[in-house]
Amino acid sequence: MFQPFTPRFALASLLVSLAAAAQAAPAGRSAPRSIVLTGKAGEAPLLYLAPDSFTLIILDAEIVRESVQVEGRARFARVDPSDQGITLALAVPLAPTERLALRFTYREGAPQSVVFLLTGRPGEADTVVNVSRPQQTVEACRMELSATRERCEDQSKELEELKSRPPAVSPASMALAGLVDAEGMKVREFVEECSRVKGEFGADECRGLAASTWTVVALEVSNPGPEPWAPAWAEVTPAAGGEPRRARAVLSGQATIPPGGAVSVAVEVEMPWRKQGAWLQEPHSLRVCNADESRCLSIPEVTL
């Protein structure tokens, strides 16, 4: 029976070839490793990079791509962020004494801002790095939720304050807006009208301002009641009869009038174009209410 025969020199040649191939292959590729971020002050784990190797950082949550920054960007062939990862490739080697910072920000959770230090080490390179953050405890989640609610409340208060501020007004802005034409503007005190105010609120320093296409009723409203009051809308009704119509705008010196407080309120009513002789001549009733119409200030007659 025939048996295959392998000369000894052929076997030796095979072993030499395998050894040469092993020496030619890039060395020092480390196995995938994991890093758990703690969020402690000054935390900056080291990553080892080499020019002939890609380093893939795999993250456990989404990051803000635009937040990825690497120090010495010109020394990198690639810096490619994705939603949950960053790919790095060096163009030139890093010395073991060098430290280049890689910074990025998670969309949510803690720690949110992260720093890695990139360096080089002969014969070693990180190819895959799995990065995670410790899962938050129930108490930590409650604290974070409480802090978020506080921020939202603060922002809501700031928004309300901004809403309550009247827009910036100057003679120049009025001229640009065309609020006053060649006919000018007329002002009249509503002393008697204010004395007939109805409801729980008081009114003082009432006056009307009028031009060709608008009338504003301005008054100081006092709130003697135990609850704050926020004027939200107003309507006027012709004394001669007709449907009530909403005022174009209601502005106040602050969003709410506190109990025992007084705030300036201005009600702007759009009017059809009229000659100067007709300004502040048309009798109307005026009603200013909060959003749900549960509390209103009423003046039986003002002239628009």
Side-chain angles (χ1 to χ4, degrees):
M1 183 176 62
F2 175 78
Q3 293 182 351
F5 171 74
T6 304
R8 291 183 179 181
F9 74 87
L11 180 58
S13 298
L14 178 61
L15 293 175
V16 170
S17 298
L18 291 174
Q23 290 177 358
R29 302 296 188 270
S30 63
R33 66 183 179 111
S34 298
I35 295 176
V36 179
L37 301 172
T38 63
K40 294 180 180 179
E43 180 181 35
L46 282 175
L47 299 183
Y48 300 103
L49 277 65
D52 58 351
S53 174
F54 285 92
T55 298
L56 174 61
I57 304 172
I58 301 174
L59 306 166
D60 64 338
E62 289 191 6
I63 62 172
V64 180
R65 291 193 186 191
E66 296 76 12
S67 70
V68 176
Q69 296 180 347
V70 63
E71 190 177 358
R73 177 63 181 84
R75 303 183 65 180
F76 290 80
R78 289 185 62 180
V79 178
D80 296 335
S82 63
D83 289 339
Q84 288 188 228
I86 303 170
T87 302
L88 301 173
L90 282 175
V92 294
L94 295 177
T97 55
E98 290 186 274
R99 301 288 189 272
L100 300 182
L102 168 67
R103 295 180 172 87
F104 60 89
T105 302
Y106 283 97
R107 289 194 177 276
E108 56 185 19
Q112 191 166 26
S113 296
V114 177
V115 178
F116 285 97
L117 295 180
L118 310 178
T119 187
R121 177 182 287 179
E124 185 173 350
D126 289 313
T127 53
V128 178
V129 181
N130 294 289
V131 179
S132 62
R133 296 172 295 173
Q135 292 187 353
Q136 291 182 294
T137 63
V138 173
E139 185 59 28
C141 290
R142 286 176 179 171
M143 292 178 64
E144 184 176 345
L145 178 60
S146 177
T148 302
R149 285 176 175 170
E150 288 181 4
R151 289 195 298 270
C152 290
E153 289 174 0
D154 291 340
Q155 290 173 354
S156 296
K157 290 178 182 178
E158 291 177 6
L159 180 60
E160 288 300 320
E161 184 180 350
L162 290 173
K163 286 182 178 179
S164 68
R165 294 178 184 174
V169 177
S170 69
S173 64
M174 291 184 66
L176 290 175
L179 297 177
V180 180
D181 56 20
E183 296 293 322
M185 184 174 68
K186 182 178 180 180
V187 180
R188 176 186 167 189
E189 299 293 330
F190 288 157
V191 178
E192 184 178 350
E193 290 85 345
C194 262
S195 66
R196 297 198 297 266
V197 66
K198 293 183 178 181
E200 62 179 297
F201 303 103
D204 196 11
E205 300 181 14
C206 303
R207 61 189 179 278
L209 300 86
S212 298
T213 59
W214 54 265
T215 296
V216 171
V217 179
L219 60 159
E220 186 86 2
V221 179
S222 57
N223 176 22
E227 299 292 333
W229 182 64
W233 58 274
E235 64 180 15
V236 294
T237 304
E243 294 295 323
R245 58 194 178 96
R246 285 288 181 103
R248 183 160 57 185
V250 177
L251 299 178
S252 61
Q254 61 189 57
T256 59
I257 305 176
V263 172
S264 295
V265 176
V267 177
E268 179 183 337
V269 181
E270 186 176 6
M271 302 294 290
W273 188 92
R274 63 257 168 98
K275 293 184 179 180
Q276 191 179 51
W279 299 355
L280 299 176
Q281 297 298 316
E282 298 180 30
H284 287 72
S285 63
L286 170 66
R287 198 161 68 108
V288 185
C289 301
N290 58 353
D292 62 5
E293 202 176 347
S294 60
R295 301 173 69 196
C296 298
L297 175 147
S298 297
I299 300 179
E301 183 177 306
V302 293
T303 51
L304 306 180

